Amino acid sequence: MAAIASFTARSLRTPRPRPFGASIVHTKSGSLLLRALNAVAQEFDPSSHAEVRAIRKATKRLRKLSLNGYTLYTTCEPCPMCMSAALWAGLDRIVYGATIADANRHCNQIRIPAVEVAARSDMACIVDGPILRDECYALFTHPRMLQAFRLWSTRKRK
């Protein structure tokens, strides 16, 4: 978890900081397969969340649909879309840092806990979190990220 938080924090020094990062790691060996950042704005694709991007890249790299034997680490609790993708991919486990409620303080979220999505599925997946919540939430409260959130158009103005 510390490794993906550190990797994601590097984006805070770029013109497009992002607090959402994910990595896929072999469950037994702990070896890193890959990492990804949220790319919704860059790709003009609302489904380009870090977790979905990591899953897409991993299945392509492994040339198979199943990620059984792998764990997804993510700086924020997966939204229902990301959690569903993780379930469909057959990941063993999801480990997250900040919560959906934490993220919702800064940008729109679908506030259905990842553990609830997993529990309502026919697919088995362990959901652990929050782990290193303070370190991961710090990605959301970094001054550069707070400035970027003001430019994001995901919040409806009332």
Side-chain angles (χ1 to χ4, degrees):
M1 182 54 76
I4 192 57
S6 177
F7 171 78
T8 306
R10 292 197 314 238
S11 82
L12 299 173
R13 298 188 301 262
T14 70
R16 290 197 170 173
R18 292 164 276 179
F20 301 101
S23 61
I24 295 183
V25 174
H26 191 271
T27 300
K28 288 185 181 170
S29 72
S31 62
L32 175 69
L33 180 63
L34 55 79
R35 298 178 289 216
L37 294 173
N38 176 299
V40 168
Q42 294 81 347
E43 295 178 359
F44 301 99
D45 180 352
S47 70
S48 286
H49 291 198
E51 300 91 338
V52 170
R53 292 185 74 230
I55 291 165
R56 287 175 182 159
K57 289 179 176 189
T59 56
K60 284 181 183 176
R61 179 170 293 171
L62 296 172
R63 301 183 63 78
K64 60 182 190 170
L65 293 175
S66 175
L67 294 178
N68 185 266
Y70 288 88
T71 296
L72 175 77
Y73 289 86
T74 179
T75 58
C76 188
E77 182 176 2
C79 73
M81 175 185 68
C82 293
M83 191 62 216
S84 296
L87 291 166
W88 284 113
L91 285 156
D92 296 343
R93 182 174 171 225
I94 308 296
V95 181
Y96 68 87
T99 66
I100 288 175
D102 294 332
N104 193 60
R105 291 184 189 117
H106 305 283
C107 54
N108 284 342
Q109 294 295 311
I110 299 172
R111 294 180 305 264
I112 301 172
V115 70
E116 183 177 334
V117 176
R120 295 180 69 174
S121 161
D122 292 333
M123 297 161 258
C125 183
I126 297 166
V127 179
D128 287 328
I131 306 292
L132 298 182
R133 181 180 183 185
D134 292 341
E135 291 86 338
C136 290
Y137 185 60
L139 299 166
F140 290 83
T141 59
H142 186 278
R144 297 247 7 247
M145 196 63 239
L146 291 173
Q147 182 181 23
F149 279 133
R150 288 191 285 277
L151 301 174
W152 288 16
S153 62
T154 62
R155 283 280 188 201
K156 298 261 190 236
R157 308 279 188 240
K158 292 183 181 179

